[in-house]
Amino acid sequence: MELGFSTMNTPEDVRPDVLARALEDRGYTSLFIGEHSHIPASRRTPYPSGGDMPDQYRRMMDPFVSLTMAAQATERLQIGTGVCLVLEHHVLDLAKSVATLDLLSGGRVLFGVGVGWNAEELENHRPDISWAQRYRATEECVTALRSCWTDHDSEFHGEFFDFDPVWSFPKPFQQPTPPVLLGTGGRIGTEHAVRWADEWMPMDVALGNVPKRIAKFRDVAADAGRDIPISLVTFGDPTPETLHSYRELGVVRCVIGAARDGWNDPATTMPFIERYAPLVAELA
């Protein structure tokens, strides 16, 4: 099982190039960066974990610019969005950004996507997409992106995305496309992961009984004739025993760092990475 790391990517955090080099030097295989283009000041949508929303959400930098720095500073480290809120981008711009990053990095992009948790944030970008439609619209968006990445004359005609034939270049380095990792954990998200994702990447805390939910997911995927790799994003500071148990479940990648102790203090980042570095070889 591979070990990756996730950062909130604020201006106060360890710079993406410095962080990426440190991860690669210690054997970590991936760096994931999430995104919020903005946080609506209204705050009508409650923070999913309850309580006050951590201030880092207001200060997240652009993931694609940061991942470009990470790619430039490394040779092997995979660079992932964890997750990209695809409905907050123009689909043709997003196709070019992902393809360019994959091309320049030599095929190291892991394209994690999600539907988000803040209803007003989606409204600001796409008032034509209701909150209840976000899963279906995300599926459409990814389908349109794949057309841009694979077809010479790309076109798409759907309910939420519609464009006549276009020339969308460059194409990604990875063929046919960078892997799409769907970061959802609920029933609807599971159904979508089975239908159109290349990998499933839920957060472990969202699954409850992790072994049971993973077994159920595999059953549903098997019924659909699919064998889908599973990554887990850990919440907090997982014990070595927990990580080994995920390895025994056949999880291909664990991404640590989300909501870790001291995650709002950049001085704790390097010690955290060092603490888990000996597990990289153990889990491989």
Side-chain angles (χ1 to χ4, degrees), residues 49-104:
S49 298
D52 293 335
M53 182 189 70
D55 188 62
Q56 298 102 300
Y57 282 91
R58 297 181 178 90
R59 302 180 56 73
M60 295 173 74
M61 298 188 292
D62 182 272
F64 292 104
V65 175
S66 298
L67 289 172
T68 300
M69 290 187 67
Q72 178 67 24
T74 55
E75 296 179 356
R76 302 173 305 279
L77 190 76
Q78 292 179 294
I79 47 176
T81 50
V83 291
C84 175
L85 301 177
V86 296
L87 299 182
E88 299 185 6
H89 296 263
H90 189 287
V91 65
L92 297 177
D93 283 340
L94 183 58
K96 185 175 290 287
S97 294
V98 176
T100 300
L101 181 60
D102 194 60
L103 184 65
L104 294 180

Side-chain angles (χ1 to χ4, degrees), residues 5 13 43 83 99 120 174 184 252 265:
F5 182 75
D13 285 322
R43 303 295 299 115
V83 291
E120 304 96 278
Q174 298 181 82
T184 55
V252 300
D265 180 2

Side-chain angles (χ1 to χ4, degrees), residues 14 35 43 47 49 55 61 67 72 96 104-105 110 126 139 175 180 198 212 229-230 238-240 284:
V14 178
E35 74 165 339
R43 303 295 299 115
Y47 182 58
S49 298
D55 188 62
M61 298 188 292
L67 289 172
Q72 178 67 24
K96 185 175 290 287
L104 294 180
S105 68
L110 299 170
R126 291 293 302 264
E139 179 180 8
Q175 293 297 317
V180 177
D198 297 310
K212 181 178 179 179
I230 299 172
T239 65

Side-chain angles (χ1 to χ4, degrees), residues 123-145:
E123 288 173 8
N124 288 342
H125 283 280
R126 291 293 302 264
D128 58 314
I129 299 175
S130 72
W131 189 242
Q133 295 172 319
R134 69 193 188 281
Y135 283 93
R136 193 164 76 250
T138 296
E139 179 180 8
E140 264 200 18
C141 184
V142 171
T143 304
L145 288 170

Side-chain angles (χ1 to χ4, degrees), residues 6-10 13 33-34 54 56-57 59-61 263:
S6 172
T7 175
M8 288 294 285
N9 193 39
T10 72
D13 285 322
I33 293 177
Q56 298 102 300
Y57 282 91
R59 302 180 56 73
M60 295 173 74
M61 298 188 292
W263 72 325

Side-chain angles (χ1 to χ4, degrees), residues 98-275:
V98 176
T100 300
L101 181 60
D102 194 60
L103 184 65
L104 294 180
S105 68
R108 290 189 275 152
V109 169
L110 299 170
F111 189 48
V113 304
V115 298
W117 57 267
N118 192 307
E120 304 96 278
E121 187 177 352
L122 175 60
E123 288 173 8
N124 288 342
H125 283 280
R126 291 293 302 264
D128 58 314
I129 299 175
S130 72
W131 189 242
Q133 295 172 319
R134 69 193 188 281
Y135 283 93
R136 193 164 76 250
T138 296
E139 179 180 8
E140 264 200 18
C141 184
V142 171
T143 304
L145 288 170
R146 284 171 167 156
S147 174
C148 291
W149 294 333
T150 58
D151 300 334
H152 185 277
D153 292 357
S154 308
E155 69 176 302
F156 185 83
H157 302 286
E159 180 180 358
F160 307 103
F161 297 89
D162 187 274
F163 52 88
D164 290 329
V166 299
W167 294 327
S168 179
F169 290 91
K171 302 303 182 186
F173 183 92
Q174 298 181 82
Q175 293 297 317
T177 73
V180 177
L181 289 62
L182 184 56
T184 55
R187 179 186 60 81
I188 297 175
T190 298
E191 293 173 356
H192 278 262
V194 168
R195 187 160 67 241
W196 55 265
D198 297 310
E199 295 187 25
W200 187 41
M201 189 176 66
M203 184 167 279
D204 60 356
V205 72
L207 300 183
N209 186 322
V210 174
K212 181 178 179 179
R213 287 294 304 279
I214 285 180
K216 176 64 175 177
F217 177 82
R218 288 202 171 108
D219 287 343
V220 174
D223 289 342
R226 301 197 63 199
D227 180 13
I228 304 172
I230 299 172
S231 295
L232 282 180
V233 179
T234 64
F235 188 88
D237 293 27
T239 65
E241 292 75 19
T242 295
L243 293 174
H244 277 283
S245 72
Y246 292 164
R247 180 180 180 273
E248 293 303 311
L249 291 172
V251 172
V252 300
R253 179 188 301 106
C254 269
V255 182
I256 62 175
R260 61 180 176 83
D261 288 344
W263 72 325
N264 59 341
D265 180 2
T268 66
T269 300
M270 290 303 183
F272 181 88
I273 291 170
E274 291 284 1
R275 177 155 59 96

